Amino acid sequence: MSFIAAFVWSYFLWLVLTAGSKGMLWSPQELIAGLLFSAIVGYATRNIIGEKASRFLNPVKWVLFIAYAPVLFWGMTRANLDVAYRVITGKIRPGIVRVPVNLDNDAQYTILGNSITLTPGTLTIEACPEEKALYVHWINIPEGLEWPESSEPVSGPFEKWARRLGE
Amino acid sequence: MIEYVIMIFLAISVTFNMLGSIALHRFPDVYTRLHGATKCTTFGTIFATFAVILHAIVRLKETGNPKYLQMALHSAVALLALLLTNPVGAHAIAKASHMSGYLPKRAVVDAYLEKRREKRNE
């Protein structure tokens, strides 16, 4: 199963990278070479990707990822206006806070950690799945939020999204 | 008309990349500098890529030359790779500097330091 997932995704990437080799489509040489190289990549990485590889082929997940893109982009826009304001005025109140989160597997921690890094004023320093917490550097901690009780003030809607995407 | 949209995208891109560089000078320590270096440059580069993709689509419609299709697709792939690797790199730098004893300056709270102290005392 992990071979098939890796194969499909490498072939997809190959098709994207070689589009336009014959008119707007693909020349047969490119298609055959792509099959060969995707098979090599799939075989070489079959033990690395692991058993849950089938979730990469789930169309519901793709739709969710596409729906997630505008949410992330809006978060990034706010983050950048916020950082721009702090760069110009120099008003910061930095610190590292412990954020308790309620997630189950590594994929969810990866998605949430990366989303937090890309969004307002926060930078993930460490993820601790064993104590269900993220350590986040926050550039402007509001008064009274030095020890947040939930991830809501730090990550907004992203914990919900991460749980849905990484199942 | 579409040229002005491309120009606006490029202007946004340059502005945010410049702010990211200024952040490197203004902020006091490595963590706050990483905020500027990751967020502003990612956002700026996204808009630069949008400008490239838009330009490629316009040229593709005008000329029908498949090399513009390749240009748009390759830029999109580069954008995805950037979005995946930039936060991971920032996380690695931040964690490594905390591990090697470079603590955040002017910090009001440092939960990670307390956690590491507890771990050492156990």
Side-chain angles (χ1 to χ4, degrees):
Chain A
M1 196 64 223
S2 57
F3 171 78
I4 298 170
F7 176 81
V8 169
W9 278 106
S10 356
Y11 198 54
F12 178 71
L13 187 64
W14 181 277
L15 289 183
V16 169
L17 286 175
T18 58
S21 52
K22 184 189 179 192
M24 288 293 159
L25 297 171
W26 299 272
S27 62
Q29 296 96 315
E30 295 281 10
L31 291 177
I32 294 164
L35 278 178
L36 205 69
F37 285 117
S38 311
I40 293 171
V41 169
Y43 184 75
T45 57
R46 72 195 183 287
N47 294 328
I48 300 170
I49 292 177
E51 285 307 309
K52 290 185 196 154
S54 57
R55 68 180 174 209
F56 291 109
L57 298 174
N58 185 351
V60 180
K61 285 281 150 59
W62 304 345
V63 174
L64 276 178
F65 263 104
I66 292 167
Y68 182 52
V71 180
L72 185 64
F73 190 76
W74 172 238
M76 286 179 74
T77 313
R78 281 191 304 143
N80 280 280
L81 295 178
D82 183 70
V83 171
Y85 173 75
R86 312 235 166 268
V87 170
I88 292 164
T89 60
K91 272 186 205 158
I92 52 172
R93 194 167 178 268
I96 298 175
V97 294
R98 180 181 184 279
V99 183
V101 289
N102 184 21
L103 302 175
D104 304 320
N105 60 40
D106 284 356
Q108 294 170 335
Y109 277 98
T110 312
I111 294 169
L112 183 62
N114 280 3
S115 304
I116 281 178
T117 302
L118 286 172
T119 49
T122 46
L123 178 74
T124 314
I125 290 190
E126 169 75 310
C128 284
E130 64 268 20
E131 54 177 293
K132 290 207 174 242
L134 291 174
Y135 289 87
V136 173
H137 184 272
W138 201 350
I139 199 168
N140 190 46
I141 303 175
E143 298 281 345
L145 269 178
E146 281 85 357
W147 296 92
E149 298 286 320
S150 73
S151 72
E152 218 283 321
V154 178
S155 62
F158 290 116
E159 189 186 342
K160 204 177 64 197
W161 277 97
R163 196 165 342 159
R164 225 182 290 162
L165 286 170
E167 271 167 4
Chain B
M1 181 58 213
I2 202 83
E3 285 85 7
Y4 291 107
V5 179
I6 294 172
M7 272 182 215
I8 290 168
F9 277 5
L10 284 177
I12 294 172
S13 149
V14 172
T15 311
F16 276 103
N17 274 321
M18 187 187 72
L19 281 171
S21 325
I22 295 174
L24 290 182
H25 288 281
R26 272 182 72 91
F27 284 157
D29 66 340
V30 63
Y31 306 98
T32 40
R33 281 177 189 158
L34 273 174
H35 280 285
T38 56
K39 294 202 181 75
C40 290
T41 50
T42 316
F43 197 65
T45 316
I46 283 176
F47 272 96
T49 324
F50 279 171
V52 170
I53 291 173
L54 206 61
H55 171 76
I57 290 172
V58 171
R59 298 289 293 161
L60 180 67
K61 269 191 185 164
E62 276 175 11
T63 61
N65 190 336
K67 82 176 179 194
Y68 290 111
L69 178 73
Q70 288 180 353
M71 192 165 142
L73 286 175
H74 289 200
S75 314
V77 172
L79 181 63
L80 273 182
L82 185 85
L83 274 181
L84 281 176
T85 51
N86 210 332
V88 177
H91 159 72
I93 295 172
K95 192 181 172 189
S97 44
H98 205 286
M99 286 284 175
S100 51
Y102 193 85
L103 299 178
K105 280 179 192 151
R106 288 164 59 185
V108 289
V109 57
D110 195 340
Y112 191 47
L113 183 68
E114 286 172 27
K115 185 215 162 187
R116 281 175 57 206
R117 279 205 184 118
E118 275 171 25
K119 218 174 197 179
R120 210 179 305 150
N121 292 339
E122 269 168 18

